[in-house]
Amino acid sequence: MGIKNESILIMDFGGQYSQLIARRVRECNVYCELKSYKMTADEIKKAGYKGIIFTGGPNSTYDENAPKCDPKVFELGIPVLGICYGAQLMAQTLGGKVKSSDVKEYGKTEIEVNPSSLLFHAAKPNNVCWMSHTDFIAEVPHGFKITAISADCPVVAMEDIKRNLYAMQFHPEVQHTNEGMLYLKNFLYNACCCTAEWQMSSFVTDTIRDLKDKIGDKKVLCALSGGVDSSVAALLVHKAVGKQLTCIFVDHGLLRKDEGDQVESVFKQQFDMNLIRVNAKDRFLSKLVGVSDPERKRKIIGEEFIRVFEEESQKLGKIEYLCQGTIYPDVVESGVGESAVIKSHHNVGGLPEDVGFEGIIEPLRDLFKDEVRRAGLELGIPEFLVWRQPFPGPGLAIRIMGDITEEKLALLKDADAIMREEFAANGLDRQVNQYFAVLTGIKSVGVMGDGRTYDNTIALRAVTTSDFMTADWARVPYDVLEKISNRMINEVPNVNRVVYDITSKPPATIEWE
Ligand code: XMP
């Protein structure tokens, strides 16, 4: 028995919150999959879903090219919950009326719900939700009851308990909807009769068992970067087949202070893994001599990484499988859902497809990032690795403006370590999503003691973001900034000025290069 006996289908109509809906369902300990709205009723029936959620979407149901579901979906007897556009589509398809309003209802809205309905069972009668719509349901289809209203919207929610169909105009998945999780749980547990079986502990046990079956006595290779995804993927395989897995950790010398040693010690000492660390710093630095252009730096590092990896793997003889840390958002973003996002960066660990393996092993293909972290904790990976902030493949090379030298690298490593220490000491390391120091390449005049200096400027970058596509600069307390600045000037030679970057993304990017 696997742990995916119960699965919910999220039908994506192109809404900006589609992935968030899926994450929320998983938070309710129910497995779900995000698929295109084009999936037919037959396909859905075959897949055996226990419930269906229609997402929002940017269209009006009256648009010529509005995405429509297979109308037979409503006849399957599987509970359906329509959200926003999905609610309107349900109303229109089943004979109700959807109208366009002159005023857009947007943002926090007060609603009145009926707590004796299924969806709002045990909910507060008056509450706040998050709306974002112009069209609204003006008339419910035959058999439906109105279960929530607002001052401007006659049908905020509706349900037909006999056919197990539910709809809400607002977004239960966003934080601003106070009791959104309760409404979702009511749908999942009471309408779909799901039992909250999706737990990371069972995911780990089941995955290890499945990997054992799949791999048998064959060999597996993994490129370990020390990032959370590749670490968790590798450890799952290691728990399944032990020394049949070999990990190659290419240390390009552009990692943060002590990071290479920490990664090696966790996987070699704590987990007794077959880990080959390739110390290739000189090789990378010699290729980078005199190179200032950011894209050239990225390209050189990416190509060199593949070369080193190939050379090392060839020494190991025949290996059947390659293990990769692909996670669910990568799968969705490569075109499974409707809200395809164009990825702006190729990870430097990305290997060419044709590297002569029989197959690829991707144990995290179904997991969101927060689930990967929970699986990592289940497996006993230390917290500093599980909560590691994202780190770009080209490493510190794109945080040193201009060309890269040993001296500049050493200076930036020391400065960055101080920033990380102070963020951790002040509890900012979990609140701020990414933070680091940049060697700006600017020299400026200062005065230290009685002497004039002409030295380096360090910039501090710290951002809050949920998806790294947009970001805001973090409001770091002044006293923390002050401490970091003082320490950098006093402890890092050749630094005489520290500045704080207060640009959001867009217009800036998170990294400086
Ligand atoms: P930007 O700078 O574009 O970065 O706002 C967004 C996120 O991506 C990371 N990043 C990279 N990751 N290879 C990577 O694997 C790269 O070349 C790369 N460049 C940026 C960046 O750290 C941030 O989290």
Side-chain angles (χ1 to χ4, degrees), residues 298 344-348 390-394 398-399 434 468 505 509-511 513:
R298 272 206 174 78
S344 46
H345 303 290
H346 252 294
N347 199 312
V348 71
F391 186 65
I398 55 166
R399 294 177 182 170
Q434 200 173 1
F468 297 87
K505 172 186 178 177
T509 50
I510 297 173
E511 302 288 348
E513 279 193 341

Side-chain angles (χ1 to χ4, degrees), residues 95-117:
K97 278 212 174 85
V98 175
K99 281 192 181 162
S100 192
S101 145
D102 300 334
V103 275
K104 189 172 155 83
E105 201 174 23
Y106 182 81
K108 286 186 186 176
T109 308
E110 285 181 21
I111 52 168
E112 195 183 322
V113 309
N114 179 355
S116 66
S117 64

Side-chain angles (χ1 to χ4, degrees), residues 442-509:
I442 296 169
K443 287 202 167 188
S444 76
V445 175
V447 52
M448 267 173 164
D450 290 330
R452 174 193 147 100
T453 57
Y454 185 60
D455 257 328
N456 290 294
T457 308
I458 291 282
L460 311 179
R461 182 68 162 147
V463 295
T464 50
T465 173
S466 56
D467 55 9
F468 297 87
M469 310 288 248
T470 60
D472 196 8
W473 59 277
R475 272 47 173 183
V476 177
Y478 284 164
D479 51 350
V480 178
L481 292 173
E482 182 185 24
K483 178 96 186 279
I484 293 172
S485 167
N486 283 344
R487 283 195 58 195
M488 282 186 185
I489 305 272
N490 289 326
E491 295 172 35
V492 187
N494 304 110
V495 173
N496 70 349
R497 194 178 292 271
V498 177
V499 296
Y500 188 47
D501 181 349
I502 52 165
T503 334
S504 60
K505 172 186 178 177
T509 50

Side-chain angles (χ1 to χ4, degrees), residues 6 8 50 79 164 186-196:
E6 298 179 346
I8 297 288
K50 288 207 82 173
N164 240 337
N186 280 340
F187 174 70
L188 297 170
Y189 304 154
N190 302 342
C192 308
C193 303
C194 291
T195 56

Side-chain angles (χ1 to χ4, degrees), residues 387-390 418-436 460-465 473-484 500:
W387 290 104
R388 192 178 187 255
Q389 48 169 321
I418 290 174
M419 184 170 180
R420 286 193 286 143
E421 271 169 38
E422 290 304 325
F423 264 53
N426 289 281
L428 294 171
D429 50 343
R430 296 268 177 96
Q431 285 170 32
V432 177
N433 305 98
Q434 200 173 1
Y435 51 94
F436 51 86
L460 311 179
R461 182 68 162 147
V463 295
T464 50
T465 173
W473 59 277
R475 272 47 173 183
V476 177
Y478 284 164
D479 51 350
V480 178
L481 292 173
E482 182 185 24
K483 178 96 186 279
I484 293 172
Y500 188 47

